[in-house]
Amino acid sequence: MSESAAEKLQTVKTPEGTFTLRLILDDLGDIYPGMIRYTVEVLRGTETVYTYAINTYESAPERSLFDTRKAAEIVFARLAHDVASRPHLYTHPRVFTRPLPGTGTADVVILQGSPRRFGNSAKIASWCDDEAVRAGLTSRIFSLQEMDIRPCIGCYVCYDQGYCPVEDDMPPIIRALEAASIVVVCTPVYTGTVPAPLKAAIDRCQWLHAREKILGKELHARGLLVAVAGRRGADPFVCTTRVVGMFMENLGIRPADPVLIGDLDRARDVETIAGVEYSVRAALSALLEPRNEG
Ligand SMILES: Cc1cc2nc3c(=O)[nH]c(=O)nc-3n(C[C@H](O)[C@H](O)[C@H](O)COP(=O)(O)O)c2cc1C
């Protein structure tokens, strides 16, 4: 966030005390080109009791009748009227953002992308989980197929106050990723890329990107991709490594070399391929050792 300036101030005197309304402009151009966020704050004394925010990416930029600044000014005027006529509603902070869960964090967070509960990716996830626990760390596997994860709706509301308005099972994932020191993605290749539930979760992590940028919640995690594919060779993994690489890059997760396991149409079970379990465990334990942080 580069700039923050109070554009407009208004004082409202009521029997419940003196309120101040502020319209603040934040230039978020270093996150996305031309992104401006307008925030209207209502303060009772020095305490913020209500916040409304809107940004220029929430509406179509070209030929749109919707003017973000005007919308913020309308909210400002309506709030000033509301505070003056119903001040008792603003005596305590009114929080509309759903907080992230306070529990459920772990040192190692594993995103398991396959719908097959006992398939190859699930097995690999359990190896990683086991390796973390052996090293004395906590670990948590998210089996994405079994969760309610809806696609990102591209509303950009997460850049207002650092939360996503879509109601589903994403909050514990965001909370866990935010606190993790290692993030592992275990996934099959589906039609050249990652399966839909994993892609949905990755897209929804825009919310985490927003939290990092808006709230200054930087991630310092290391990342590991372990992918399996039916076909042989490097070709099936091209898109998957790119998608997961971009996911990690967006969030500031530093990736290790991925472990890519092909030829499963023939082998069927990853456990039957000599040396694979060892490679997966070794790749994870290399991340667990602080001297290999580099
Ligand atoms: C819908 C679907 C699409 C797939 N697409 C590909 C693909 O594009 N390339 C490939 O090599 N394997 C592909 N596969 C094979 C899987 O990657 C492979 O069977 C993998 O071992 C499944 O992992 P899992 O046991 O963790 O579910 C596909 C499988 C399914 C069910």
Side-chain angles (χ1 to χ4, degrees):
M1 188 157 46
S2 56
E3 253 175 65
S4 185
E7 295 278 297
K8 215 170 175 178
L9 278 173
Q10 187 173 332
T11 304
V12 181
K13 290 201 160 88
T14 78
E16 301 285 357
T18 300
F19 292 85
T20 308
L21 281 92
R22 285 203 298 226
L23 174 63
I24 298 159
L25 181 154
D26 287 306
D27 181 349
L28 304 184
D30 54 351
I31 302 177
Y32 289 115
M35 183 182 258
I36 306 258
R37 182 182 56 197
Y38 296 96
T39 307
V40 182
E41 282 181 347
V42 180
L43 290 95
R44 184 176 185 238
T46 54
E47 186 184 28
T48 305
V49 289
Y50 184 86
T51 308
Y52 168 86
I54 189 167
N55 73 66
T56 48
Y57 270 50
E58 290 179 49
S59 56
E62 304 279 325
R63 292 182 290 278
S64 171
L65 290 175
F66 188 85
D67 181 323
T68 313
R69 188 190 171 99
K70 273 201 188 109
E73 285 180 349
I74 289 167
V75 171
F76 185 97
R78 285 192 175 171
L79 274 172
H81 180 265
D82 204 41
V83 168
S85 54
R86 306 189 299 169
H88 58 282
L89 294 181
Y90 296 88
T91 51
H92 297 294
R94 297 169 69 189
V95 181
F96 293 104
T97 59
R98 196 179 28 166
L100 291 175
T103 55
T105 59
D107 302 313
V108 179
V109 169
I110 302 164
L111 302 181
Q112 199 288 92
S114 173
R116 300 204 312 145
R117 199 177 271 189
F118 305 106
N120 295 307
S121 306
K123 212 167 264 179
I124 290 163
S126 75
W127 295 339
C128 293
D129 181 67
D130 180 57
E131 205 58 39
V133 172
R134 279 189 199 196
L137 300 177
T138 54
S139 170
R140 182 159 180 198
I141 301 173
F142 288 97
S143 296
L144 302 170
Q145 174 76 23
E146 291 167 25
M147 301 176 74
D148 175 21
I149 298 170
R150 309 205 181 154
C152 173
I153 56 172
C155 65
Y156 286 92
V157 165
C158 52
Y159 290 92
D160 292 334
Q161 292 174 38
Y163 93 103
C164 173
V166 177
E167 297 264 350
D168 62 3
D169 292 342
M170 247 345 251
I173 297 179
I174 296 293
R175 176 77 184 100
L177 287 174
E178 203 168 71
S181 51
I182 294 175
V183 174
V184 184
V185 178
C186 302
T187 184
V189 173
Y190 267 21
T191 320
T193 184
V194 296
L198 174 58
K199 183 59 166 57
I202 285 176
D203 290 346
R204 292 286 303 292
C205 281
Q206 194 77 353
W207 175 5
L208 191 48
H209 178 258
R211 279 177 74 80
E212 286 186 57
K213 299 287 177 190
I214 305 294
L215 305 177
K217 304 237 172 209
E218 264 182 56
L219 263 61
H220 298 284
R222 298 292 322 266
L224 176 67
L225 163 66
V226 186
V228 289
R231 290 192 290 135
R232 284 182 193 199
D235 197 46
F237 298 105
V238 170
C239 186
T240 297
T241 48
R242 193 161 159 69
V243 167
V244 176
M246 286 176 78
F247 157 68
M248 292 189 184
E249 190 187 321
N250 270 348
L251 299 179
I253 298 170
R254 290 173 303 133
D257 288 340
V259 179
L260 308 175
I261 308 155
D263 206 17
L264 278 152
D265 282 347
R266 200 182 48 80
R268 309 293 294 163
D269 183 348
V270 71
E271 223 164 1
T272 63
I273 307 177
V276 160
E277 179 173 351
Y278 175 81
S279 308
V280 171
R281 287 181 181 272
L284 186 70
S285 60
L287 289 186
L288 302 177
E289 291 169 26
R291 69 175 178 277
N292 292 333
E293 275 287 287

